[in-house]
Amino acid sequence: MKASRTKERVTWIIISVLVLLYALFPVVSIMATSFKLPSELTSGKFLPSSWTGSNYEQILVGSAQDLFLSSLRNSIGIALIATFIAVVLATLCAYAIARLDFPGKKVILTTALAVSIFPVISIVTPLFNLWRNIGLYDTWPGLIIPYLSLTLPISIWTLAAFFRQIPWELEQAAQVDGATTWQAFRKAIVPLAAPGVFTTAIIAFFIAWNDFVYGISLTSTEAARPVPAALAFFTGASQFESPVGAISAAAIIVTIPIVLLVLLFQRQIVSGLTQGAVKG
Amino acid sequence: MASITLQNLVKQYGDGFPAVNDVSIDIEDGEFIILVGPSGCGKSTLLRMIVGLEDITSGDLLIDGKRVNEKAPRDRNLAMVFQNYALYPHLTVFENIAFPLRLAKGKHTDDEIRKLVTDAAKTLELTDHLERKPGNLSGGQRQRVAMGRAIVRQADAFLFDEPLSNLDAKLRGQMRSEISQMQRRLGVTSVYVTHDQTEAMTLGDRVAVLKKGVLQQIASPRELYEQPVNLFVAGFIGSPSMNFLPATLEGNVLKTAVGDIQVTEDKARAAAGKKVVLVGLRPEFFEDASLVEEHKKDLGSTFMAELTHTEWLGNEQYGYINFDPDPEVRELLNSLAAEMDADELRPQIVVTLDAASRIRGGRSAELWLDTRKMHIFDPETGDNLTRDAEAGAALTQEANTARAEEISEAREREASTAGQPA
């Protein structure tokens, strides 16, 4: 009995280590690259022989500063606004889906699903033409609107599942206790839904933050170009120098907020994804 | 405190299915009414119509004589205890109980709220738990918090939706008596939904039995038990339930599977002209013939039967007798069972015997049957042919008087304890 339990534990440890290696190796590799000198990039060694911060210097205060910092600002702004709008709309929509019986409820849910599995790349070209005609090309709204198409469906689905779990009796009890519909929603439902809304917001933020296809296709200047797209425009110090070091450094920097968010809110994210956050 | 009047209430869902069909009940001020029936009989729907969580399709709902059909739940001033308690998980016990008071903005000062909540907590023995969250409480404590939320405000009536069904059997008994005492002490009109007939019989001043949205009978528990209006009520009330035996009438004698039963003139007259009738016999009408005193024996009839098995419970024992009805009657019994939410009703007679009886399964034994309280039912309509409406009304009247006395006694006691210095 005891032996089999130890064996089980060992098996689990081995599997965990393998998964960790698989998941973290690319990140560590990029991190190592970000500390290498340009001359060392093709050395074939994993770790830099001499650690340097020159790549970080280049993107934060050096020649690539304009490109990187403006794109960072764009990314943060666009992702936050897209997340905010998506969450507010999705909360109202999901609440209606979970609580009300109205014609077209199924249609909304299936449409949301269809939109989310629709290949992004196939609408980029028409969107590019349309945006240029109506003047949304290379603007923040020009990215926020397509980002909503990515973030809204998943937000609606997670939140609808979340609202369905909140016992309807709570609202009814509040109404019997003397609350208006709005008070019942605000005092009984919102506090319970807050973790779910928060989780959804984080997930939506990731999606908007990580997008590349829209970012590179619908922008042309620093006015709206987000980080993932900006990385592709990095050049080395001279045209003969590879920009890989600087790109790696930028990649590490944009990963940091994501890692922080996940570490801080991992419990909520997991419970939001498995939809078990409300206990009666 | 208020009276509630239901006038021809109908609830029809979108597909035209009437969940509640033409129900009229007059609930007096201070009365404890139970709505009981098998699942799907519309009892919860009816309660939710009273509180305002379900729209009323047609009919009128009056509270204290005023029509409230269109009023929102919050304007009806009723308190409700939900089956799953519906406590707010993010609030402490104190805030849960204070919730209705806080919603009535400006009506209560903070000090008043504190006083009202601590008073309610004291009566419910929740004082030690006021700062805890509902998630950390046991089932019984949660139940009491839900009750606290109801009693803290001066609601006109309490509505209970199967409040005890999530508790274990022992706690249920305890909470049942607490609810009963609290209701008497506060003298507040209460409507209580349950499918548990022990709760129905013990708590209710009057019990309303519903079947498929239709009110079958509303009467005191004793009247329901002794003078049921039809087969459904007779079979639903009582545990083990009433035995239904097919019988044919010849003169003043009912020929049944358990022998011939002599019936009185008026009972025979009520059953006359029917080819087959159903005789309703409660298990406790039977007894081991050897244990019946001589002078009682003549009040019933004796017969020989073979018991398949017996179950000894300490204070009494149940015996089972199989009989073979003809297909028509079997069909009827089965449809009756389906209506009552039971499995197939086996053609079986359950008898209650004295615990001292030596009768054992597999052997023939002589049984005595008390025929005084038996009823005869029409198998087609299900009507009780021998119901004595007057006797039934008297029983319900008795219960009403008892209730009035209990409430006034409770109020006197309250007044005298309140008069004493604490």
Side-chain angles (χ1 to χ4, degrees):
Chain A
M1 192 63 203
K2 208 173 174 190
S4 75
R5 198 172 295 164
T6 334
K7 207 171 142 196
E8 199 177 297
R9 266 185 68 185
V10 171
T11 323
W12 272 113
I13 290 172
I14 293 172
I15 293 174
S16 309
V17 169
L18 284 177
V19 170
L20 274 179
L21 275 179
Y22 179 77
L24 288 184
F25 179 77
V27 181
V28 177
S29 166
I30 290 173
M31 188 134 88
T33 310
S34 75
F35 288 108
K36 281 179 186 169
L37 283 170
S39 56
E40 253 191 301
L41 286 173
T42 50
S43 67
K45 282 190 216 136
F46 185 71
L47 290 174
S49 48
S50 65
W51 295 71
T52 167
S54 64
N55 291 319
Y56 288 92
E57 239 167 72
Q58 190 193 336
I59 58 166
L60 291 176
V61 291
S63 60
Q65 183 196 12
D66 292 343
L67 192 59
F68 181 68
L69 290 185
S70 69
S71 66
L72 197 59
R73 204 172 50 238
N74 289 337
S75 254
I76 292 173
I78 291 169
L80 280 180
I81 294 173
T83 304
F84 179 76
I85 297 175
V87 166
V88 170
L89 290 181
T91 305
L92 300 176
C93 177
Y95 181 73
I97 283 170
R99 284 291 187 263
L100 306 177
D101 221 5
F102 56 91
K105 193 161 130 177
K106 275 241 169 70
V107 178
I108 290 181
L109 279 176
T110 36
T111 312
L113 193 64
V115 168
S116 71
I117 58 170
F118 201 77
V120 165
I121 197 78
S122 62
I123 57 165
V124 158
T125 316
L127 212 53
F128 173 78
N129 286 326
L130 180 65
W131 265 202
R132 286 209 330 166
N133 285 333
I134 60 176
L136 280 178
Y137 181 71
D138 201 24
T139 59
W140 278 23
L143 278 185
I144 290 170
I145 294 170
Y147 283 178
L148 283 179
S149 77
L150 299 177
T151 53
L152 258 182
I154 187 158
S155 305
I156 291 174
W157 274 84
T158 19
L159 278 173
F162 215 86
F163 276 125
R164 275 201 199 101
Q165 270 179 38
I166 298 177
W168 201 342
E169 277 88 355
L170 285 182
E171 241 178 306
Q172 295 174 337
Q175 284 180 27
V176 175
D177 281 343
T180 59
T181 315
W182 173 244
Q183 276 176 324
F185 179 69
R186 196 165 55 85
K187 296 201 166 171
I189 300 304
V190 170
L192 287 180
V197 172
F198 193 70
T199 312
T200 312
I202 291 173
I203 295 169
F205 182 80
F206 288 171
I207 292 173
W209 181 262
N210 288 339
D211 167 76
F212 176 75
V213 177
Y214 285 131
I216 195 121
S217 319
L218 301 178
T219 61
S220 60
T221 66
E222 283 158 18
R225 187 181 289 139
V227 172
L231 293 186
F233 286 91
F234 276 16
T235 50
S238 71
Q239 67 182 102
F240 303 108
E241 213 167 73
S242 161
V244 169
I247 292 177
S248 302
I252 292 296
I253 288 179
V254 298
T255 313
I256 287 171
I258 302 284
V259 172
L260 281 180
L261 276 178
V262 171
L263 285 181
L264 281 176
F265 302 113
Q266 53 178 327
R267 232 167 48 110
Q268 283 87 336
I269 293 171
V270 170
S271 65
L273 289 174
T274 54
Q275 284 130 30
V278 183
K279 284 190 192 121
Chain B
M1 313 304 121
S3 64
I4 302 174
T5 312
L6 286 60
Q7 283 174 353
N8 309 94
L9 283 190
V10 176
K11 171 74 194 182
Q12 222 159 10
Y13 283 112
D15 55 0
F17 174 77
V20 172
N21 204 349
D22 200 18
V23 171
S24 300
I25 302 177
D26 274 318
I27 304 170
E28 280 174 43
D29 183 20
E31 200 174 13
F32 204 145
I33 289 280
I34 310 282
L35 305 177
V36 73
S39 56
C41 73
K43 54 190 190 296
S44 282
T45 312
L46 189 56
L47 190 78
R48 296 165 64 84
M49 286 160 83
I50 297 177
V51 80
L53 294 170
E54 295 272 0
D55 293 335
I56 294 167
T57 310
S58 72
D60 293 316
L61 174 68
L62 291 86
I63 297 178
D64 259 349
K66 281 187 225 69
R67 189 170 180 276
V68 295
N69 279 34
E70 278 78 34
K71 277 195 179 172
R74 68 195 171 96
D75 298 324
R76 298 193 187 188
N77 194 26
L78 305 171
M80 180 153 167
V81 176
F82 288 80
Q83 181 174 3
N84 60 7
Y85 319 134
L87 303 178
Y88 311 113
H90 58 291
L91 300 177
T92 60
V93 169
F94 183 95
E95 286 303 324
N96 259 289
I97 299 180
F99 192 81
L101 301 175
R102 296 224 191 273
L103 281 174
K105 275 217 180 75
K107 249 192 203 164
H108 309 275
T109 63
D110 267 7
D111 287 346
E112 271 171 15
I113 291 178
R114 181 153 293 278
K115 187 176 176 325
L116 285 168
V117 173
T118 43
D119 282 355
K122 207 185 288 166
T123 35
L124 294 163
E125 293 169 28
L126 284 170
T127 313
D128 296 340
H129 309 293
L130 280 176
E131 295 313 315
R132 295 170 76 189
K133 292 271 173 71
N136 304 325
L137 300 178
S138 69
Q141 288 164 343
R142 286 184 203 185
Q143 175 61 51
R144 288 210 289 268
V145 178
M147 307 258 295
R149 207 167 55 192
I151 63 173
V152 76
R153 47 192 271 243
Q154 303 292 314
D156 284 339
F158 288 172
L159 308 173
F160 300 89
D161 191 3
E162 309 211 17
L164 304 183
S165 58
N166 287 350
L167 301 178
D168 61 58
K170 199 177 152 207
L171 204 52
R172 209 178 302 161
Q174 196 186 323
M175 289 304 297
R176 198 172 63 216
S177 62
E178 278 179 29
I179 290 179
S180 159
Q181 285 166 21
M182 188 189 78
Q183 196 270 343
R184 284 296 187 248
R185 199 172 57 239
L186 301 173
V188 60
T189 316
S190 301
V191 185
Y192 187 110
V193 164
T194 182
H195 61 264
D196 180 304
Q197 50 161 303
T198 324
E199 282 171 30
M201 302 296 264
T202 53
L203 287 173
D205 292 317
R206 280 192 300 158
V207 178
V209 184
L210 290 145
K211 178 183 114 183
K212 293 181 183 158
V214 180
L215 179 66
Q216 304 291 307
Q217 187 175 6
I218 174 161
S220 71
R222 279 195 65 180
E223 181 179 350
L224 286 185
Y225 193 81
E226 291 179 15
Q227 302 289 347
V229 75
N230 59 22
L231 269 180
F232 177 80
V233 176
F236 190 78
I237 301 291
S239 167
S241 47
M242 189 183 257
N243 299 298
F244 297 116
L245 279 180
T248 48
L249 189 70
E250 285 177 19
N252 280 358
V253 177
L254 278 172
K255 294 206 173 291
T256 72
V258 297
D260 298 350
I261 303 172
Q262 185 80 33
V263 290
T264 54
E265 194 79 27
D266 49 331
K267 280 191 178 168
R269 209 176 310 122
K274 302 268 186 295
K275 200 173 80 181
V276 181
V277 292
L278 281 179
V279 183
L281 301 165
R282 296 228 175 254
E284 65 269 22
F285 295 178
F286 295 87
E287 189 49 90
D288 181 348
S290 64
L291 295 173
V292 179
E293 293 151 34
E294 277 308 316
H295 67 273
K296 263 177 87 181
K297 236 174 196 171
D298 293 340
L299 298 170
S301 60
T302 52
F303 63 96
M304 293 297 288
E306 186 185 309
L307 272 63
T308 56
H309 64 289
T310 58
E311 291 169 346
W312 189 80
L313 300 169
N315 60 336
E316 60 186 9
Q317 52 185 330
Y318 296 145
Y320 297 87
I321 307 167
N322 282 343
F323 71 98
D324 201 17
D326 54 66
E328 211 173 299
V329 176
R330 184 186 286 264
E331 187 108 323
L332 180 80
L333 291 180
N334 281 343
S335 71
L336 193 65
E339 277 176 1
M340 286 189 289
D341 234 10
D343 303 327
E344 182 195 14
L345 202 66
R346 267 191 282 170
Q348 192 177 44
I349 305 170
V350 185
V351 302
T352 313
L353 304 174
D354 194 282
S357 165
R358 306 297 296 166
I359 296 179
R360 290 292 168 265
R363 273 180 251 160
S364 254
E366 190 177 38
L367 294 174
W368 174 77
L369 170 63
D370 184 347
T371 54
R372 285 170 296 175
K373 290 193 210 160
M374 72 172 205
H375 282 289
I376 300 173
F377 296 91
D378 184 332
E380 274 146 37
T381 61
D383 289 341
N384 184 350
L385 300 169
T386 53
R387 179 175 134 81
D388 185 343
E390 260 170 51
L395 287 172
T396 297
Q397 189 50 46
E398 225 171 78
N400 270 340
T401 332
R403 168 174 61 90
E405 274 171 23
E406 278 175 41
I407 290 182
S408 69
E409 270 172 32
R411 284 193 180 149
E412 261 169 43
R413 222 175 302 135
E414 193 92 324
S416 69
T417 46
Q420 282 164 7

